[in-house]
Coordinates of all heavy atoms in Angstrom, one line a residue:
A12 N 0.8 -1.2 0.0 CA 0.0 0.0 0.0 C 0.8 1.3 0.0 O 0.3 2.4 -0.2 CB -0.9 0.0 1.2
T13 N 2.1 1.2 0.2 CA 3.0 2.3 0.1 C 3.4 2.6 -1.3 O 3.9 3.7 -1.6 CB 4.3 2.2 1.0 OG1 5.1 1.1 0.5 CG2 3.9 1.9 2.4
I14 N 3.2 1.6 -2.2 CA 3.6 1.7 -3.6 C 2.3 1.9 -4.4 O 2.2 2.8 -5.2 CB 4.4 0.5 -4.1 CG1 5.7 0.5 -3.4 CG2 4.5 0.6 -5.6 CD1 6.6 -0.7 -3.7
F15 N 1.3 1.1 -4.1 CA 0.0 1.2 -4.8 C -0.9 1.9 -3.7 O -1.7 1.2 -3.0 CB -0.5 -0.1 -5.2 CG 0.4 -0.7 -6.3 CD1 1.3 -1.7 -5.9 CD2 0.3 -0.4 -7.6 CE1 2.2 -2.2 -6.8 CE2 1.2 -0.9 -8.5 CZ 2.1 -1.8 -8.1
Q16 N -0.9 3.2 -3.6 CA -1.4 3.9 -2.5 C -2.9 4.0 -2.4 O -3.5 4.4 -1.4 CB -0.8 5.3 -2.5 CG 0.7 5.3 -2.3 CD 1.4 6.6 -2.6 OE1 0.9 7.3 -3.5 NE2 2.5 6.8 -2.0
G17 N -3.6 3.6 -3.5 CA -5.0 3.6 -3.5 C -5.6 2.2 -3.5 O -6.8 2.0 -3.5
F18 N -4.7 1.2 -3.5 CA -5.2 -0.2 -3.4 C -5.6 -0.5 -2.0 O -4.9 -0.3 -1.1 CB -4.2 -1.2 -3.9 CG -4.7 -2.6 -4.0 CD1 -5.1 -3.1 -5.3 CD2 -4.7 -3.4 -2.9 CE1 -5.5 -4.4 -5.4 CE2 -5.2 -4.7 -3.0 CZ -5.6 -5.2 -4.3
T19 N -6.8 -1.0 -1.8 CA -7.3 -1.4 -0.5 C -7.6 -2.9 -0.5 O -8.4 -3.4 -1.3 CB -8.6 -0.6 -0.2 OG1 -8.4 0.8 -0.3 CG2 -9.1 -0.9 1.2
K20 N -7.0 -3.6 0.4 CA -7.3 -5.0 0.6 C -8.8 -5.2 0.9 O -9.3 -4.5 1.8 CB -6.5 -5.6 1.7 CG -6.7 -7.1 1.9 CD -5.8 -7.7 3.0 CE -6.1 -9.2 3.3 NZ -5.3 -9.7 4.4
P21 N -9.5 -6.0 0.1 CA -10.9 -6.2 0.4 C -11.2 -6.6 1.8 O -10.5 -7.4 2.4 CB -11.3 -7.4 -0.6 CG -10.3 -7.3 -1.7 CD -9.0 -6.9 -1.0
G22 N -12.2 -5.9 2.4 CA -12.6 -6.2 3.7 C -13.1 -7.6 3.9 O -13.0 -8.2 5.0
T23 N -13.7 -8.2 2.9 CA -14.2 -9.5 2.9 C -13.5 -10.3 1.7 O -13.8 -10.0 0.6 CB -15.7 -9.6 2.8 OG1 -16.3 -8.8 3.8 CG2 -16.2 -11.1 2.8
L24 N -12.7 -11.3 2.1 CA -12.1 -12.1 1.0 C -12.9 -13.3 0.8 O -13.7 -13.8 1.7 CB -10.6 -12.5 1.5 CG -9.6 -11.3 1.4 CD1 -8.3 -11.8 2.1 CD2 -9.3 -10.9 0.0
Y25 N -12.7 -13.9 -0.3 CA -13.4 -15.2 -0.7 C -13.1 -16.2 0.4 O -12.0 -16.4 0.8 CB -13.0 -15.6 -2.1 CG -13.7 -16.8 -2.6 CD1 -15.0 -16.7 -3.0 CD2 -13.0 -18.0 -2.9 CE1 -15.7 -17.8 -3.5 CE2 -13.6 -19.1 -3.5 CZ -15.0 -19.0 -3.8 OH -15.6 -20.1 -4.3
P26 N -14.1 -17.0 0.8 CA -13.9 -17.9 1.9 C -12.8 -18.9 1.7 O -12.0 -19.2 2.7 CB -15.3 -18.7 2.0 CG -16.3 -17.7 1.5 CD -15.5 -16.9 0.4
D27 N -12.6 -19.4 0.5 CA -11.5 -20.4 0.3 C -10.1 -19.8 0.4 O -9.1 -20.5 0.5 CB -11.6 -21.0 -1.1 CG -12.8 -22.0 -1.2 OD1 -13.4 -22.3 -0.2 OD2 -13.1 -22.5 -2.3
N28 N -10.0 -18.4 0.4 CA -8.7 -17.8 0.5 C -8.0 -18.0 1.8 O -6.8 -17.8 1.9 CB -8.8 -16.3 0.2 CG -9.2 -16.0 -1.2 OD1 -9.9 -16.7 -1.9 ND2 -8.7 -14.8 -1.7
A29 N -8.8 -18.3 2.8 CA -8.3 -18.4 4.2 C -7.5 -17.2 4.6 O -6.4 -17.2 5.2 CB -7.4 -19.7 4.3
G30 N -8.1 -16.0 4.2 CA -7.5 -14.7 4.6 C -6.3 -14.2 3.8 O -5.8 -13.2 4.0
K31 N -6.0 -15.0 2.7 CA -4.9 -14.6 1.9 C -5.4 -14.0 0.6 O -6.5 -14.2 0.1 CB -4.0 -15.9 1.5 CG -3.4 -16.5 2.7 CD -2.8 -17.9 2.4 CE -3.9 -18.9 2.1 NZ -3.3 -20.3 1.9
Q32 N -4.5 -13.1 0.0 CA -4.9 -12.5 -1.3 C -4.6 -13.4 -2.5 O -3.8 -14.3 -2.4 CB -4.2 -11.1 -1.4 CG -4.7 -10.1 -0.4 CD -4.2 -8.7 -0.7 OE1 -3.3 -8.2 -0.1 NE2 -4.9 -8.0 -1.6
V33 N -5.2 -13.0 -3.6 CA -5.1 -13.8 -4.8 C -3.7 -13.6 -5.5 O -3.3 -12.4 -5.5 CB -6.2 -13.6 -5.8 CG1 -6.2 -12.1 -6.3 CG2 -6.3 -14.5 -6.9
Y34 N -3.1 -14.6 -6.0 CA -1.8 -14.5 -6.7 C -1.7 -15.2 -8.0 O -0.9 -14.9 -8.8 CB -0.7 -15.0 -5.8 CG -0.2 -13.9 -4.9 CD1 -0.7 -13.7 -3.6 CD2 0.9 -13.1 -5.2 CE1 -0.3 -12.7 -2.7 CE2 1.4 -12.1 -4.4 CZ 0.8 -11.9 -3.2 OH 1.2 -10.9 -2.3
V35 N -2.5 -16.2 -8.3 CA -2.5 -16.9 -9.6 C -4.0 -17.1 -10.0 O -4.9 -17.1 -9.2 CB -1.7 -18.2 -9.6 CG1 -0.3 -18.0 -9.3 CG2 -2.4 -19.2 -8.6
V36 N -4.1 -17.4 -11.3 CA -5.4 -17.9 -11.8 C -5.3 -19.4 -12.1 O -4.3 -19.9 -12.5 CB -5.7 -17.1 -13.2 CG1 -6.9 -17.7 -13.9 CG2 -5.9 -15.6 -12.9
R37 N -6.4 -20.0 -11.7 CA -6.4 -21.5 -11.9 C -6.4 -21.8 -13.4 O -7.0 -21.0 -14.2 CB -7.7 -22.1 -11.3 CG -7.7 -22.0 -9.8 CD -9.0 -22.4 -9.2 NE -8.9 -22.3 -7.7 CZ -8.6 -23.3 -6.9 NH1 -8.4 -24.5 -7.4 NH2 -8.6 -23.1 -5.6
P38 N -5.8 -22.9 -13.8 CA -6.0 -23.4 -15.2 C -7.4 -23.5 -15.7 O -8.3 -23.6 -14.8 CB -5.3 -24.7 -15.2 CG -4.3 -24.7 -14.1 CD -5.0 -23.9 -13.0
R39 N -7.7 -23.4 -16.9 CA -9.0 -23.4 -17.5 C -9.8 -24.7 -17.1 O -9.3 -25.8 -17.2 CB -9.0 -23.3 -19.0 CG -10.3 -23.2 -19.7 CD -10.1 -22.8 -21.1 NE -11.4 -22.6 -21.8 CZ -11.9 -23.5 -22.7 NH1 -11.3 -24.7 -22.9 NH2 -13.1 -23.3 -23.3
Y40 N -11.0 -24.5 -16.5 CA -11.7 -25.6 -16.0 C -12.0 -26.7 -17.0 O -11.8 -27.9 -16.7 CB -13.1 -25.0 -15.4 CG -14.0 -26.1 -14.9 CD1 -13.7 -26.7 -13.6 CD2 -15.1 -26.6 -15.6 CE1 -14.5 -27.7 -13.1 CE2 -15.9 -27.6 -15.1 CZ -15.6 -28.2 -13.9 OH -16.4 -29.2 -13.4
N41 N -12.6 -26.3 -18.1 CA -13.1 -27.4 -19.0 C -12.0 -28.1 -19.8 O -12.3 -29.1 -20.5 CB -14.1 -26.8 -20.0 CG -15.5 -26.9 -19.5 OD1 -16.0 -27.9 -19.1 ND2 -16.2 -25.7 -19.5
S42 N -10.8 -27.7 -19.7 CA -9.7 -28.6 -20.3 C -8.9 -29.3 -19.2 O -8.6 -30.5 -19.4 CB -8.8 -27.8 -21.2 OG -8.1 -26.8 -20.4
E43 N -8.7 -28.6 -18.1 CA -7.8 -29.2 -17.1 C -8.6 -29.9 -15.9 O -8.2 -31.0 -15.5 CB -7.0 -28.1 -16.5 CG -6.1 -27.4 -17.6 CD -5.3 -28.3 -18.4 OE1 -4.5 -29.0 -17.9 OE2 -5.6 -28.4 -19.7
Y44 N -9.6 -29.3 -15.4 CA -10.3 -29.9 -14.2 C -11.3 -31.0 -14.7 O -11.8 -31.6 -13.8 CB -11.0 -28.8 -13.4 CG -10.0 -27.9 -12.6 CD1 -9.4 -26.8 -13.2 CD2 -9.6 -28.3 -11.3 CE1 -8.5 -26.1 -12.5 CE2 -8.7 -27.5 -10.6 CZ -8.1 -26.4 -11.2 OH -7.2 -25.7 -10.5
I45 N -11.5 -31.1 -15.9 CA -12.3 -32.2 -16.4 C -11.4 -33.4 -16.9 O -11.7 -34.6 -16.6 CB -13.2 -31.8 -17.6 CG1 -14.1 -30.7 -17.2 CG2 -13.9 -33.0 -18.2 CD1 -15.2 -31.1 -16.2
W46 N -10.3 -33.1 -17.6 CA -9.5 -34.1 -18.2 C -8.1 -34.3 -17.6 O -7.4 -35.3 -17.9 CB -9.3 -33.8 -19.7 CG -10.6 -33.5 -20.4 CD1 -11.1 -32.3 -20.8 CD2 -11.5 -34.5 -20.8 NE1 -12.3 -32.5 -21.4 CE2 -12.6 -33.8 -21.4 CE3 -11.6 -35.9 -20.7 CZ2 -13.7 -34.5 -21.9 CZ3 -12.7 -36.6 -21.2 CH2 -13.8 -35.8 -21.8
N47 N -7.6 -33.4 -16.8 CA -6.2 -33.5 -16.4 C -6.0 -33.4 -14.9 O -5.0 -32.9 -14.5 CB -5.5 -32.3 -17.1 CG -4.0 -32.7 -17.5 OD1 -3.7 -33.9 -17.6 ND2 -3.2 -31.7 -17.7
I48 N -6.8 -34.0 -14.1 CA -6.8 -33.9 -12.7 C -5.5 -34.4 -12.1 O -4.9 -33.8 -11.2 CB -8.0 -34.7 -12.0 CG1 -9.3 -33.9 -12.3 CG2 -7.8 -34.8 -10.6 CD1 -9.4 -32.6 -11.6
P49 N -4.9 -35.6 -12.5 CA -3.7 -36.1 -11.9 C -2.5 -35.1 -12.0 O -1.8 -34.9 -11.1 CB -3.4 -37.4 -12.7 CG -4.7 -37.9 -13.1 CD -5.5 -36.6 -13.5
A50 N -2.5 -34.4 -13.2 CA -1.4 -33.4 -13.4 C -1.6 -32.2 -12.5 O -0.7 -31.6 -11.9 CB -1.3 -33.0 -14.8
L51 N -2.9 -31.8 -12.3 CA -3.2 -30.7 -11.4 C -2.9 -31.0 -10.0 O -2.4 -30.2 -9.2 CB -4.7 -30.4 -11.5 CG -5.2 -29.7 -12.8 CD1 -6.8 -29.6 -12.8 CD2 -4.6 -28.4 -13.0
Q52 N -3.1 -32.2 -9.6 CA -2.8 -32.6 -8.2 C -1.3 -32.5 -7.9 O -0.9 -32.1 -6.8 CB -3.3 -34.1 -8.0 CG -4.8 -34.2 -7.9 CD -5.3 -35.6 -7.9 OE1 -4.6 -36.5 -8.3 NE2 -6.4 -35.8 -7.3
K53 N -0.5 -32.8 -8.9 CA 1.0 -32.7 -8.7 C 1.5 -31.3 -8.4 O 2.5 -31.1 -7.7 CB 1.7 -33.2 -10.0 CG 1.5 -34.7 -10.2 CD 2.2 -35.2 -11.5 CE 2.0 -36.6 -11.8 NZ 2.7 -37.1 -13.1
I54 N 0.7 -30.3 -8.9 CA 1.2 -28.9 -8.7 C 0.3 -28.2 -7.6 O 0.4 -27.0 -7.4 CB 1.1 -28.1 -10.0 CG1 -0.3 -28.0 -10.5 CG2 2.1 -28.7 -11.0 CD1 -0.4 -27.0 -11.7
G55 N -0.6 -29.0 -7.0 CA -1.4 -28.5 -5.9 C -2.6 -27.7 -6.3 O -3.2 -27.0 -5.5

């Protein structure tokens, strides 16, 4: 917030975040979470 001085951490974060901010986007659902689950599990 000292560099991005107008950015405000959301007062309510998404429940799955466990209080942490977002840093990556999940791979595309309909190609990866349907067909490629074992590979997804390897990277968490």
Side-chain angles (χ1 to χ4, degrees):
T13 67
I14 294 174
F15 300 97
Q16 297 163 332
F18 187 98
T19 304
K20 181 180 178 180
T23 303
L24 290 168
Y25 186 65
D27 286 354
N28 291 32
K31 296 169 290 185
Q32 291 194 261
V33 65
Y34 272 90
V35 296
V36 172
R37 292 170 180 269
R39 186 170 180 258
Y40 177 77
N41 268 309
S42 63
E43 303 306 299
Y44 287 88
I45 298 295
W46 306 105
N47 212 22
I48 290 291
L51 290 174
Q52 290 172 332
K53 291 179 183 178
I54 63 170

